Amino acid sequence: MDLYEHQARELFADHGIVVPRAEVTDSPERAREIARRFGGRAVVKAQVKTGGRGKAGGVAQAADPAAAEAAARRILGMDIKGHTVGTVMVAEPVDIDSEFYVAYVLDRAAGGFLAIASAEGGMEIEEVAARHPGAVVRVPVDPAGNLTTAHAARIAAAAGLPPETVDVLVRLWEVLVREDALLVEVNPLVRTARGRIVALDGKVTLDDNARFRQTRWGAEKDGHGDPLEAAAAAKGLHYVKLDGEVGVIGNGAGLVMSTLDVVAGCGARPANFLDIGGGASARIMADGLSVVLSDPAVKSVLVNVFGGITACDAVAEGIVRALDTVRLTKPLVVRLDGNNAARGRAVLDEHAHPLVHQVPTMDGAARRAARLATAA
């Protein structure tokens, strides 16, 4: 579960990390009052569970309370990557001397965590890595052990961070461990003109499997900022909205994640993550296709299934029956492999839907879906 920025900052403050004063509101008039109490100047930030708020106009510097009210009025109700802004955070401004990037993220392949840090903060870390790969350091961290001050000092030194950030690195690790997080990120972590180290922004993703321990976030359980995610959750689907044009459906989280990478490697962008799990009944396929096709950004759909407990012919039957209830308006590329794959392909061949394309390999299917999406 992703937290809103103001919730992430609340966690940081609980663990002794300095954050600027801030309050959340859904009222422009209230934003004006908050700015007045903060001394007049303020930063108004959209509270949505997605990145790119600044580029979308969801972050504004306000020189006075009237400007804070105007900014809040403009930002509230905005659509940012499919997320409607319902609240804004009004924060006390900070005089920045230097900006840094620090994060801990789960490394599933290695079965541990990575500390990622850079002396170049304030922008997307992918941009920094692409422009200057040596500026981003990645240091493995053993999840079974505590992150010591000495370990944090090595991370800071490798990234070129000042020694004052070591304490923050230790405390961020405490946030990750004690709050059952899969990701904690601060961008930017800043040094102010007076030499204080302050977390200006925060991103935290909690492990859904630990909800029974993290009861403070129980009210967020059914909250979805994106309407498609809400619709999928109502149908019991594991769906995450992304910012691309190729819809992706697969059986198994690992396979879906791999499919997203392959699609990206073919020059297209995945529009979503959708794991239908071990079963692919007609209802599940119909529900999944309905949600994915409801995204106006989707230009093609890729169904990537490896038959195991659920045989590919059952998946194919599910697709055929789903097409009886869902009007297919975009090309659908299907890759079936594994248990009863030949029978599954035959089922789809017999149905002969003009918009269904069968490709036997994952790479080939991703290339076809990417090509169809870009040609649309």
Side-chain angles (χ1 to χ4, degrees), residues 257-313:
M257 291 296 291
S258 298
T259 306
L260 301 184
D261 291 340
V262 175
V263 168
C266 293
R269 297 176 305 159
N272 65 271
F273 169 104
L274 176 52
D275 173 18
I276 59 174
S281 67
R283 182 190 61 78
I284 291 174
M285 288 304 306
D287 288 346
L289 285 172
S290 176
V291 170
V292 171
L293 292 170
S294 295
D295 183 351
V298 167
K299 306 301 180 185
S300 69
V301 181
L302 171 58
V303 175
N304 185 19
V305 170
F306 186 87
I309 297 175
T310 300
C312 287
D313 55 339

Side-chain angles (χ1 to χ4, degrees), residues 2 6 15 21 58-59 66 69 93 102 109 135 141 152 154 163 173 186 191 200 271 285 297 328 350 355 360 369-370:
D2 293 329
H6 68 90
H15 289 270
R21 289 189 300 166
V59 178
E69 178 180 351
V102 294
V141 181
R154 289 194 294 271
W173 180 254
V186 182
R191 179 168 53 195
L200 284 197
M285 288 304 306
L328 187 62
E350 290 172 9
L355 288 178

Side-chain angles (χ1 to χ4, degrees), residues 245 296-301 329-331 368-376:
E245 59 282 339
V298 167
K299 306 301 180 185
S300 69
V301 181
T329 57
K330 310 289 176 62
R368 178 76 63 85
R371 186 167 64 250
L372 289 168
T374 55

Side-chain angles (χ1 to χ4, degrees), residues 60-76:
Q61 300 278 348
D64 53 52
E69 178 180 351
R73 194 176 304 280
R74 177 182 61 81
I75 294 171
L76 286 166

